[in-house]
Amino acid sequence: MAVDANTPVTALKGVGKTAAESLQEMKIETIHDLIMTFPYRHEDFQLKDLADTPHNERVTVEGRVESEPSVLFLGKNKSRTQVQVLVGRHLVKAIFFNQPYVKAKLHIGEVLTLSGKWDRGRQVITVQSHSIGPKTSGADFEPVYSLKGSIYQKTFRKLMRQALDLAKDDLEDCLPERFLSNYHLPSFQDALEWVHFPPDGEMLKQARRRFVYEELLMFQLKMQSLRKKNREEEGGSFINYDLEKLKNFIQTLPFDLTPAQKRVVNEICKDLREPFRMNRLLQGDVGSGKTVVAAISLYAAVTADMQGALMAPTEILAEQHANTLAQWFEPLGLNIALLTGSVKGKRRQLILDQLAGGEIHILIGTHALIQPDVQFSKLGLVITDEQHRFGVDQRRVLKDKGYNPDVLFMTATPIPRTLAISAFGEMDVSVIDEMPVGRKEIQTFWMKKDMFGKILGRMEKELAAGRQAYVICPLIEESDKLDFQNAVELFQQLSSHFHGKYTVGLMHGRLHSDEKEETMRAFSEGNISVLVSTTVVEVGVNVPNASFMLIYDAERFGLSQLHQLRGRVGRGSEQSYCVLLADPKTEMGKERMASMTETNDGFVLAEKDLQLRGPGDFFGRKQSGVPEFKMADLVHDYRALETARKDAEKLVNSEEFWSSDETKCLREHLEESGVLSSSRLD
Ligand code: ADP
Ligand code: MG
């Protein structure tokens, strides 16, 4: 029988019943599946110098037996054999567990090769494998696979060897030749051989480089073709804005735009002018001034005789935006309207009529803005504040109504660039990476829990000066109940502490949304001095008079979340303070607290968070969107990711990619992944 990559693995020699079951459990059906199952690490049998080997690491050494071995029997089938071995200039103890028979093989003066764990302090090697004589020239690296069922590594390795020898040469190299030569990447065949059975460490590294690049390129091809498809096939609007009017408006602002704001305004305007549909993510740390960028963009649409919409996650935020925009635009004769769930009856009807008649230029609101009966006359641009709350469904609603507006998503969550271009790979990304000048940096302190009383004193000083404070307690997803209790207890404690002096309010996820809005409003109007809250405190809430924040059990939060929370203070002209109350148990926890006190830069913290917690945890469980890679690691391979993104963009925008033979294999992969046949939004 001719064997090729599509032959079932069971055709390989030595696949018995157990092996077949294990392979099935691992979803390895064909020889190709087997070959593409990469080891997660390699056992390294290269000879190492003990002086360079860290404590507790596995090491392979050659040495000479220096003492008579001794065996200690420790009970049933248990024993410890011990011998002195001279390794280079180190006299170490080699310990063999449960192999009393080795004693007979160990003679003074004999040379041994030992592999095992190195205990630097005790100068002991706990031997895992050994051979008599100097190290043979055999493989320095043995692959270790992540296996299921009861198949042995050794059996799996043998099958792999067989599979590679039989079928490796049948497989097609998907990467065009010029990529291999440009980046000095090994061929698919070489890389396959080396990723499983590397002749040396360098080859393993090169094999890994190739697969990382290939994987990221495939992924980015998917994202970039999606992007292209979205832009071209959904037919966006050509918003021919009036540049002079925009410039004049910017002149009337009470401040100068920061260079970063100018840059992103340009990026957005360029998109508006193009006939494509804009699909852009605007990132900017809390307080970086995204609202004015949104306002300018909306105004651009209006000067092109189109309407704009701004969607916020809560009524309070929508009101806030409406007030700001009305202040800026009403002097220019623009009609700004607010539509939320609480706008009802005649007022609502009037707004709907004016909207359909094109009299309203900019509509601001919550989700109420995309209800079925809300009809625009010519919607050109939709902006959403806090991108993650505006999902695919809402965009579909707009599309179903016959609108294909340009879309701008704003988020205050700083997302490390590597994650941004993977999780949001089909979007364009603009970043406001600097703050307006003259901001007072929030002063952040980390204190132990037993300092609580003292901190309350400090808080009271702020309250006495007429300012307000937040007290945040953590949200423990697993235990909504416990969480709620924490907040309630703190609320009671603080209520009695400040009794007769300051009003304390309580906010948590179990409140009805009306109650939440009401409490939030009371706080923003200054009728509540201290707000005890779980993390439901809305992102974007702007109460400039709040100058003090206490975060309880701060070690339970991720860095990005702490930074978001902290961004609720420091919004006014007064010096603001943030106190992290935490007794972290781990080094990582301590490092997180320290980082918070060291920087106010959300992007620095986000990068740090990514390093400490990894990409999977970065967005929290729910809205990850970060793909899982077989080889690539978004933290370490960010350069490869950038390169792959650029290459993919160039490819999908070139004629030849869609027709040439050289890229046929890449196109087939794309087809398999389903991108070319259907868009994610449909
Ligand atoms: P965010 O990006 O968090 O939404 P905002 O848009 O609410 O930030 O801006 C925060 C504050 O900074 C607002 O009071 C806004 O008027 C002000 N602001 C925005 N841009 C500038 C600037 N270039 N110079 C000075 N102040 C600015
Ligand atoms: Mg904002």
Side-chain angles (χ1 to χ4, degrees):
M1 187 182 82
V3 175
D4 64 26
N6 294 319
T7 308
V9 265
T10 43
L12 292 173
K13 266 189 231 116
V15 181
K17 193 161 162 275
T18 12
E21 278 169 11
S22 298
L23 291 169
Q24 201 176 10
E25 208 177 315
M26 292 163 72
K27 300 204 168 55
I28 298 175
E29 282 168 16
T30 62
I31 291 187
H32 182 253
D33 295 341
L34 178 64
I35 289 178
M36 295 311 288
T37 305
F38 293 164
Y40 70 93
R41 67 180 182 90
H42 285 82
E43 211 69 89
D44 181 352
F45 292 107
Q46 296 180 100
L47 290 180
K48 293 271 164 60
D49 192 335
L50 281 179
D52 304 334
T53 305
H55 177 62
N56 263 347
E57 207 137 281
R58 190 183 163 126
V59 66
T60 299
V61 294
E62 270 175 19
R64 199 179 63 208
V65 177
E66 292 289 321
S67 70
E68 287 298 339
S70 62
V71 185
L72 192 63
F73 288 92
L74 305 162
K76 195 168 176 247
N77 296 332
K78 294 212 167 133
S79 67
R80 191 172 73 195
T81 308
Q82 187 171 305
V83 69
Q84 302 268 13
V85 178
L86 185 68
V87 178
R89 279 173 307 160
H90 295 254
L91 188 62
V92 306
K93 208 185 277 174
I95 296 179
F96 303 74
F97 281 102
N98 312 329
Q99 307 166 61
Y101 46 84
V102 300
K103 179 173 189 278
K105 299 197 279 181
L106 304 172
H107 307 291
I108 292 179
E110 185 113 65
V111 172
L112 286 177
T113 303
L114 303 171
S115 277
K117 200 153 115 186
W118 172 231
D119 182 329
R120 209 183 163 97
R122 291 164 54 222
Q123 300 275 297
V124 166
I125 296 177
T126 306
V127 179
Q128 280 152 358
S129 68
H130 71 278
S131 57
I132 305 294
K135 184 171 177 292
T136 47
S137 57
D140 279 337
F141 294 95
E142 216 166 57
V144 183
Y145 300 90
S146 159
L147 302 177
K148 286 185 182 155
S150 40
I151 192 169
Y152 289 110
Q153 290 288 346
K154 214 167 153 185
T155 317
F156 197 82
R157 270 180 216 136
K158 274 193 189 152
L159 293 178
M160 188 64 79
R161 185 66 270 161
Q162 225 189 111
L164 285 171
D165 291 343
L166 284 170
K168 190 173 68 186
D169 293 332
D170 292 350
L171 297 170
E172 191 185 352
D173 195 334
C174 238
L175 286 182
E177 179 57 41
R178 63 195 152 98
F179 284 89
L180 301 184
S181 52
N182 279 353
Y183 300 136
H184 306 287
L185 296 173
S187 72
F188 185 59
Q189 272 69 26
D190 283 345
L192 261 186
E193 177 68 31
W194 300 347
V195 80
H196 291 289
F197 301 106
D200 64 38
E202 182 56 27
M203 284 160 159
L204 174 59
K205 207 168 120 193
Q206 295 308 326
R208 194 180 166 271
R209 261 184 76 226
R210 185 211 144 98
F211 286 119
V212 164
Y213 175 75
E214 187 172 4
E215 185 171 39
L216 293 172
L217 181 71
M218 294 293 185
F219 169 65
Q220 283 295 331
L221 277 174
K222 209 158 97 181
M223 297 312 243
Q224 295 302 318
S225 41
L226 242 172
R227 168 171 180 265
K228 186 175 152 76
K229 194 176 143 81
N230 279 346
R231 279 163 72 92
E232 293 175 6
E233 293 179 11
E234 290 186 15
S237 39
F238 168 57
I239 301 183
N240 194 12
Y241 60 86
D242 184 332
L243 184 62
E244 278 312 303
K245 284 188 180 165
L246 285 194
K247 281 186 176 162
N248 289 338
F249 167 65
I250 293 169
Q251 286 295 318
T252 67
L253 289 170
F255 45 75
D256 290 332
L257 295 183
T258 61
Q261 284 170 321
K262 280 185 200 154
R263 192 186 64 238
V264 304
V265 165
N266 280 327
E267 287 167 358
I268 294 166
C269 282
K270 190 159 169 281
D271 270 5
L272 295 179
R273 272 262 169 99
E274 283 186 24
F276 300 128
R277 203 177 66 82
M278 173 167 77
N279 187 28
R280 190 172 278 280
L281 179 71
L282 173 61
Q283 290 191 58
D285 211 340
V286 278
S288 63
K290 292 183 291 297
T291 315
V292 69
V293 171
I296 296 168
S297 312
L298 290 166
Y299 184 50
V302 174
T303 66
D305 228 357
M306 297 195 129
Q307 291 166 304
L310 175 57
M311 216 160 95
T314 64
E315 295 210 356
I316 294 176
L317 284 177
E319 275 173 31
Q320 222 170 259
H321 282 320
N323 289 336
T324 310
L325 265 61
Q327 205 183 323
W328 284 334
F329 290 130
E330 278 173 358
L332 299 177
L334 262 56
N335 192 358
I336 312 284
L338 174 70
L339 186 64
T340 62
S342 32
V343 178
K344 295 192 176 106
K346 274 200 196 128
R347 226 173 97 221
R348 179 177 151 87
Q349 196 50 50
L350 182 68
I351 290 177
L352 295 187
D353 292 345
Q354 290 188 337
L355 194 66
E359 289 157 62
I360 288 174
H361 299 105
I362 297 172
L363 184 66
I364 296 160
T366 51
H367 281 176
L369 213 148
I370 45 162
Q371 296 308 304
D373 58 341
V374 180
Q375 288 286 343
F376 292 80
S377 128
K378 46 207 162 172
L379 180 61
L381 172 65
V382 174
I383 300 182
T384 70
D385 202 5
E386 283 318 314
Q387 140 283 323
H388 57 272
R389 290 164 188 257
F390 182 72
V392 167
D393 293 345
Q394 283 86 5
R395 286 168 64 185
R396 192 119 129 246
V397 171
L398 288 174
K399 217 174 140 189
D400 290 349
K401 288 193 203 176
Y403 303 119
N404 257 327
D406 284 358
V407 177
L408 180 70
F409 301 88
M410 303 200 292
T411 177
T413 313
I415 306 168
R417 181 158 166 84
T418 48
L419 285 191
I421 65 181
S422 2
F424 305 99
E426 86 287 17
M427 300 174 87
D428 295 296
V429 180
S430 288
V431 182
I432 306 182
D433 52 7
E434 69 191 308
M435 289 289 180
V437 286
R439 284 281 161 76
K440 286 206 176 92
E441 289 238 317
I442 302 165
Q443 289 183 19
T444 302
F445 304 95
W446 162 28
M447 294 181 155
K448 299 283 163 68
K449 281 196 190 152
D450 53 17
M451 301 285 281
F452 189 58
K454 212 169 158 197
I455 296 163
L456 285 186
R458 188 65 197 73
M459 184 190 296
E460 193 159 355
K461 231 171 114 185
E462 291 294 306
L463 300 176
R467 290 189 278 277
Q468 291 162 279
Y470 291 96
V471 177
I472 309 289
C473 29
L475 186 113
I476 315 149
E477 269 180 59
E478 291 82 344
S479 164
D480 170 47
K481 200 169 159 198
L482 205 74
D483 192 36
F484 163 75
Q485 280 170 355
N486 277 344
V488 171
E489 258 168 44
L490 255 179
F491 167 70
Q492 286 164 347
Q493 196 181 342
L494 291 177
S495 297
S496 60
H497 182 87
F498 290 127
H499 183 73
K501 286 199 256 175
Y502 303 105
T503 329
V504 182
L506 173 65
M507 177 92 146
H508 55 75
R510 290 194 170 186
L511 293 177
H512 191 268
S513 63
D514 289 351
E515 292 172 290
K516 272 193 237 168
E517 294 265 342
E518 201 176 301
T519 306
M520 235 15 258
R521 189 160 291 130
F523 187 63
S524 63
E525 284 167 3
N527 299 328
I528 288 175
S529 296
V530 181
L531 185 65
V532 178
S533 176
T534 59
T535 44
V536 293
V537 167
E538 298 296 350
V539 217
V541 161
N542 192 20
V543 182
N545 190 44
S547 62
F548 194 93
M549 174 172 283
L550 170 62
I551 305 181
Y552 209 81
D553 283 340
E555 75 269 21
R556 295 235 180 106
F557 297 99
L559 279 178
S560 294
Q561 206 181 1
L562 284 172
H563 180 66
Q564 282 294 314
L565 287 168
R566 175 169 66 181
R568 300 310 104 216
V569 297
R571 312 195 129 234
S573 51
E574 299 302 328
Q575 176 61 53
S576 287
Y577 306 91
C578 175
V579 178
L580 307 170
L581 202 61
D583 298 334
K585 301 276 179 303
T586 63
E587 281 310 307
M588 188 165 119
K590 287 175 192 161
E591 204 176 327
R592 289 220 302 259
M593 294 306 110
S595 301
M596 283 298 295
T597 64
E598 283 158 13
T599 181
N600 269 302
D601 184 328
F603 280 93
V604 171
L605 290 169
E607 291 287 352
K608 188 102 198 169
D609 214 14
L610 179 61
Q611 279 165 22
L612 289 175
R613 297 200 298 170
D617 284 336
F618 184 82
F619 291 104
R621 251 161 296 172
K622 279 184 205 134
Q623 40 195 334
S624 164
V626 181
E628 292 222 356
F629 294 111
K630 197 156 142 182
M631 270 275 166
D633 165 340
L634 291 178
V635 181
H636 296 108
D637 299 321
Y638 66 94
R639 275 204 214 91
L641 179 63
E642 295 272 3
T643 309
R645 177 180 158 97
K646 277 194 208 112
D647 291 344
E649 193 177 343
K650 241 190 259 161
L651 280 174
V652 302
N653 288 308
S654 71
E655 290 284 320
E656 110 196 68
F657 173 75
W658 301 101
S659 57
S660 96
D661 270 354
E662 202 195 26
T663 47
K664 184 159 165 270
C665 180
L666 292 176
R667 284 199 305 276
E668 280 168 5
H669 265 271
L670 266 183
E671 262 156 43
E672 273 166 36
S673 71
V675 177
L676 297 183
S677 43
S678 74
S679 143
R680 240 177 25 179
L681 296 179
D682 292 320

